[in-house]
Amino acid sequence: MTAAVLQARFMPNAVPSIDSHVSAASITGGEILSKDWTGTSLGPVDTWPPSLKTTLAMMLACPTPMFLAWGDDLLCFYNDAYRPILGYRLATALGTPFKVVWASIWSDIEPLVMTTLAGESSKMTDMPLDLSREGVPEQSWWTFTYSPAYDDAGQVAGLFCVTNEQTNRVQMEERNQTLVAEVIERREELARAEEQLRQAQKLEAIGRLTGGGRARLQQSADCHPWIRRSIAQA
């Protein structure tokens, strides 16, 4: 059931709109209202369908980064929390086709977009994406969902994205894994050295019993360098 249908059923006298209240509380809401949409496939704001207006009002009021691509051209909308994700694209993203805004990662996300437009939701966890927010390559990881956005007739009219960056957590986990691997390697190296020391001590004991002496021990003991030095200094 669409947001517009729910609103019509439970709030029959309400008219969904991007009103001045939302605009005042949202930088992006104000930009949507002030933008000239007559040259786009959507036309003027006052002609937009209730489903689009309702979806936008809910998105603009949310503190979680969200993105909406609507219509045949998948024109872009987003809330204030999403603005930093756009980086240098912020100046031109509003009302621009989704494929144009995210052209640099389109090959990564196109299959998800097509699946969503076919009516299926998608969720990605810790997906690596190079957003190049500052215009240069960058490593970043994202957990996000793509959900169909429905028009007044209940047909898929676009896609709705809720996203969160996971870069700091992923990089921290990778550093921790590296440290753990180094600790394990050092422990294994120490265990090997201790075993070699035990073998060297056995050889030394045998040498004393057989009269082989330390010179023979130094030649036959296959042990760690510091163990050799320890035997030589003993």
Side-chain angles (χ1 to χ4, degrees):
M1 187 176 295
T2 67
V5 172
L6 287 171
Q7 187 171 39
R9 177 174 296 181
F10 296 107
M11 296 182 291
N13 297 322
V15 179
S17 64
I18 312 169
D19 57 19
S20 58
H21 172 72
V22 174
S23 174
S26 168
I27 296 173
T28 308
E31 292 176 349
I32 292 173
L33 289 175
S34 63
K35 182 178 175 64
D36 182 5
W37 294 91
T38 56
T40 71
S41 57
L42 290 178
V45 173
D46 57 8
T47 67
W48 290 0
S51 51
L52 174 57
K53 293 180 179 181
T54 301
T55 303
L56 286 174
M58 290 188 297
M59 180 184 72
L60 291 170
C62 186
T64 301
M66 295 182 179
F67 182 98
L68 174 68
W70 185 275
D72 294 338
D73 298 330
L74 294 179
L75 301 185
C76 290
F77 299 90
Y78 44 87
N79 62 4
D80 288 356
Y82 193 90
R83 294 170 73 90
I85 297 174
L86 290 165
Y88 74 90
R89 301 173 180 86
L90 180 60
T92 58
L94 186 62
T96 299
F98 188 21
K99 185 175 182 178
V100 175
V101 173
W102 291 115
S104 64
I105 59 170
W106 188 249
S107 60
D108 297 311
I109 63 176
E110 183 179 15
L112 302 175
V113 172
M114 296 299 104
T115 296
T116 306
L117 294 179
E120 297 182 25
S121 297
S122 300
K123 180 178 180 179
M124 301 302 296
T125 301
D126 296 345
M127 182 174 180
L129 291 170
D130 179 7
L131 302 189
S132 299
R133 283 168 284 189
E134 301 302 322
V136 296
E138 62 169 327
Q139 283 188 318
S140 61
W141 288 262
W142 301 84
T143 292
F144 60 92
T145 58
Y146 279 176
S147 302
Y150 297 96
D151 61 18
D152 297 348
Q155 301 299 311
V156 177
L159 67 84
F160 191 72
C161 172
V162 180
T163 186
N164 272 296
E165 184 170 5
Q166 304 295 323
T167 302
N168 290 339
R169 180 184 59 77
V170 170
Q171 290 179 336
M172 180 64 71
E173 289 178 354
E174 288 182 347
R175 285 193 291 269
N176 289 342
Q177 290 173 359
T178 299
L179 290 174
V180 169
E182 290 177 353
V183 169
I184 292 174
E185 183 179 357
R186 296 291 177 83
R187 286 179 176 176
E188 291 176 347
E189 181 180 357
L190 179 59
R192 289 192 297 270
E194 289 175 344
E195 177 60 25
Q196 291 168 351
L197 177 58
R198 284 193 291 270
Q199 294 300 323
Q201 289 171 338
K202 289 180 181 179
L203 289 172
E204 182 178 13
I206 294 172
R208 288 174 177 172
L209 290 173
T210 60
R214 294 191 175 225
R216 181 178 174 182
L217 175 61
Q218 288 285 353
Q219 294 175 356
S220 60
D222 179 17
C223 56
H224 197 277
W226 69 266
I227 299 177
R228 290 183 180 276
R229 289 194 297 270
S230 297
I231 295 173
Q233 294 169 4

